[in-house]
Amino acid sequence: MAGIVCRTASRIISSQVSCSSSVVAVRHSHWFTSMLSLKTSSPLRAEPKKKKKVDPRREIMMKERLKKKLKRLEKVAPELIPIEDFITPAKCLDETRIRDAPKHSFEESERRALLLKEWSRYKYSQHQTEMDTINEALEAQRQALDELKLESEELYKAAVSPDTDIFPFQHEGPSYTPPVTNYEAPEGKYNDITRVYTQ
Amino acid sequence: MAAPFSRLCRPLWRITTTSTLNKGVRNVSSSRQQWSAQNVKTAGAASPWALNGAVCLQRLPVVSEDGSPIEEEFMELMHLMEFERSLLSDHELRLLEDAARMSRKQEGDYDSDEEDYRDNEIVTAQDLEDIWEQKPKQFQPAPRSQGVDEKDMSSSERCLADSLILLVKKDVGSQKLWLLPQIQWQTGETLRQTAERALASLPGADKKATFLGNAPCGYYKYKYPKVIQKEGSVGAKVFFFKAVLSSHKHLPLEKNSFAWVKKEELQDFLKPEYLKQVRRFIMAL
């Protein structure tokens, strides 16, 4: 019965709509609201979760506050890495470790003083000979370059141009004993206990 | 590179000096005093001097040399002074404790319960010292002098504490002379390449050497004897380049044509004028 009424009502409405532009919401039952209005049925209307405009703003504010806190933390200067050589270890300040100061005889202290003076004289003469040798070698090189310049400009330019292949230059310096031929060093384990600091 | 000397008066001096002294000896050195005006004129034109490149190959010392007496004495004094000013180390403290404990044990009223037992009881510091002394004896280092005869000039293992120079015996004209290895310059190559070729052309084991820079370290100029002098060739100039021996195989070289020589022994091998120029840039420090 209700269905027939509805169908007739809808036909009337549709005929009415086709003539007039304005929509008249005619409700015949609460289940069937007008076709053209929003479909806001009660199940939909009963939902508790609704995103209001205030919430996104709150979230944005939270993020900004966190970012500001992070920036403040980062602005603090990083802690300096301690130089271990400059810190006197507590062991050295221990009183029990002090050696008894030895008492030298007069001759001993005299001998030491004289030896130190002799050493300074020796080192001075050594330095002089070194400087002389170096200057002599430099002078020889300079004269050789002058000679070369007289010979040909091209060769001179080639000689004066910098040598890029020489660096990095490596050479093993003299040791106390010469290297043993065909020596196989034994494998060894070691624990590396160096302290590594990160900033 | 050459030190920046200010040599404004130099060119004048060169021109006004007298001509070269021609000694009886074939090789004439040209030091500053004996520079002739002739050379200044012939610059720029096709030079009458033949160019040679030579290499001064040095085997640097392998072993540290023994100190002089004063150095030894001073080293001992330094060790002594450092020892006196130092603090007691952990090991020394342990030694003292052990000694004190020993003396306490010897006394009559020794109560071992009063001692706090630690691992020190088992291994004393003195034992540790003995162990440490024994350990290096398992390794046999090579002897310092290497056992090679000092007089054997052809071996490069000679005097490990000094730097050695390589000399080569070569036919120059009619004579056989000891020289630094040299070779004629060819057009199209730099003098350093000539020196490298001179090194490579030596018969024997290949010597890997590092040349120290593009510039020559010294030169030697000599005139040909009048018999050979033609128009356009007065003499020859030899430019020396320094090289350092990096590694080589210890193959023996022919005794009569090669020699590894210290700076002091150079005078036994080289002609005096040649030696005078060569000694300037060989540094035996």
Side-chain angles (χ1 to χ4, degrees), chain A residues 85 103 159 190:
Chain A
D85 290 338
K103 286 157 203 163
Y190 60 92

Side-chain angles (χ1 to χ4, degrees), chain B residues 57-61 156-160 162-164 245 260:
Chain B
L57 186 64
Q58 261 187 323
R59 190 224 66 194
L60 296 176
S156 67
E157 309 293 310
R158 271 190 69 209
C159 308
L160 289 174
D162 302 301
S163 55
L164 301 177
L245 193 70
W260 287 100

Side-chain angles (χ1 to χ4, degrees), chain A residues 91-102 104 108 111-123 126 129-152 154-166 169-181 183 186, chain B residues 1-3 5 7 10 14 30 32 35 39 43-45 47 49 51 60-64 66 68 70-71 73-74 77-78 80-81 83-84 86-90 92-93 139-144 146 160 185 189-192 210-219 221 237 239 242 244-246 250 263 277 280-285:
Chain A
K91 273 191 191 177
C92 297
L93 305 169
D94 197 359
E95 279 178 358
T96 56
R97 288 183 185 249
I98 298 175
R99 244 181 252 275
D100 310 321
H104 299 297
E108 175 66 23
R111 178 192 82 94
R112 286 189 181 193
L114 288 171
L115 184 57
L116 288 167
K117 294 190 183 191
E118 185 67 41
W119 178 252
S120 83
R121 268 176 256 137
Y122 172 75
K123 269 298 187 186
Q126 205 183 50
T129 40
E130 272 181 25
M131 293 309 287
D132 290 339
T133 328
I134 291 170
N135 283 327
E136 185 75 25
L138 282 177
E139 179 63 22
Q141 193 182 48
R142 195 190 57 81
Q143 285 180 358
L145 284 171
D146 288 343
E147 278 287 323
L148 190 55
K149 199 167 186 182
L150 289 177
E151 283 294 312
S152 88
E154 292 172 5
L155 288 176
Y156 175 77
K157 277 182 193 165
V160 166
S161 62
D163 183 15
T164 48
D165 298 326
I166 191 172
F169 177 68
Q170 274 191 354
H171 178 77
E172 297 230 348
S175 49
Y176 189 67
T177 52
V180 178
T181 47
Y183 179 67
Chain B
M1 286 300 298
F5 286 98
R7 292 274 163 185
R10 227 175 162 273
R14 273 192 209 162
S30 44
R32 260 179 283 176
W35 194 294
N39 302 334
S47 61
W49 300 93
L51 288 179
L60 296 176
V62 176
V63 163
S64 59
D66 297 320
S68 57
I70 184 173
E71 279 180 3
E73 241 186 284
F74 188 72
L77 175 63
M78 281 289 109
L80 200 60
M81 282 171 77
F83 182 75
E84 284 166 11
S86 66
L87 297 171
L88 294 168
S89 64
D90 291 340
E92 282 187 322
L93 283 177
F139 171 69
Q140 294 298 325
R144 288 190 91 196
Q146 275 286 333
L160 289 174
W185 172 74
E189 62 176 6
T190 62
L191 275 172
R192 179 181 158 161
T210 325
F211 276 80
L212 304 174
N214 286 334
C217 56
Y219 79 101
K221 200 160 69 170
K237 280 187 191 174
F239 288 95
K242 265 198 183 172
V244 163
L245 193 70
S246 40
H250 307 272
K263 187 174 178 180
Q277 291 294 320
R280 296 176 79 196
F281 56 80
I282 293 178
M283 296 196 269
L285 290 169

Side-chain angles (χ1 to χ4, degrees), chain A residues 25-87:
Chain A
V26 177
R27 288 204 194 174
H28 297 279
S29 80
H30 67 282
W31 293 114
F32 295 98
T33 51
S34 78
M35 299 297 192
L36 299 166
S37 67
L38 280 171
K39 288 239 163 94
T40 52
S41 54
S42 49
L44 276 175
R45 271 179 274 130
E47 274 186 25
K49 285 184 193 168
K50 212 163 202 179
K51 294 270 177 181
K52 295 181 192 171
K53 273 191 185 174
V54 189
D55 281 341
R57 248 189 253 164
R58 262 194 223 162
E59 282 185 13
I60 291 166
M61 290 296 285
M62 288 275 286
K63 280 182 193 170
E64 277 176 26
R65 266 180 248 151
L66 283 170
K67 277 182 199 168
K68 276 185 189 170
K69 279 184 191 169
L70 274 172
K71 274 187 195 173
R72 265 185 230 155
L73 285 172
E74 277 167 17
K75 271 188 189 172
V76 169
E79 201 183 279
L80 297 170
I81 299 174
I83 304 172
E84 303 210 8
D85 290 338
F86 289 178
I87 305 166

